[in-house]
Structure formats: structure tokens, C-alpha cells
Amino acid sequence: MSYRTGLIVAIICLACYIISFAQMLLPISVAAKGALWATFYGLAKATQYTAILILGKTGIDKLRALLRRNK
């Protein structure tokens, strides 16, 4: 898999983290909030580790260099 695929998975990871905590603002039952949180937080963790696996050491070094360049 490519560097670009790893970045896409990392973006999906961020979206899952945002959804997992933003759903707390919805007017639904506590049980439903808990189920949604567990689902999206679990997805976020799974995609996080998948992105790290796809990117590897070289990809993470590229990403750090890109972030340093943008500062």
C-alpha cells in the first residue's frame, strides 16, 4: 500500500475520533450514546493502527517533514 493510502486512513481515523465525541451532543439515550461512542472509538483506534502499519517508519518521517515545512 502507498503513502497516500496511509494518509487517507489517518484522515478517516481523525473523523472517527471527532464523531465518537461529537455524538455526545445528540439528544439520545445514554445507552445509545455509549454504544455509538464504543463503536466509533473502536473504529478510530483500528484505523489509527492501520495507518501506522501502512505508513511505516519512512511514511511517518515524510509526514513529520511535511508538518515541519508547513509551520
Side-chain angles (χ1 to χ4, degrees):
M1 296 204 179
S2 70
Y3 175 73
R4 179 180 241 170
T5 304
L7 289 180
I8 291 170
V9 173
I11 291 169
I12 293 170
C13 170
L14 288 174
C16 286
Y17 273 122
I18 291 169
I19 292 170
S20 72
F21 289 104
Q23 58 81 26
M24 294 296 179
L25 300 173
L26 295 175
I28 54 178
S29 70
V30 174
K33 286 181 183 183
L36 285 172
W37 182 83
T39 301
F40 283 108
Y41 191 77
L43 282 172
K45 280 303 195 182
T47 54
Q48 175 185 356
Y49 294 132
T50 303
I52 290 171
L53 181 67
I54 292 170
L55 287 174
K57 183 179 180 343
T58 307
I60 291 174
D61 289 342
K62 283 183 186 180
L63 185 60
R64 285 183 182 160
L66 179 69
L67 291 175
R68 285 185 194 134
R69 228 180 305 143
N70 286 338
K71 284 185 178 181

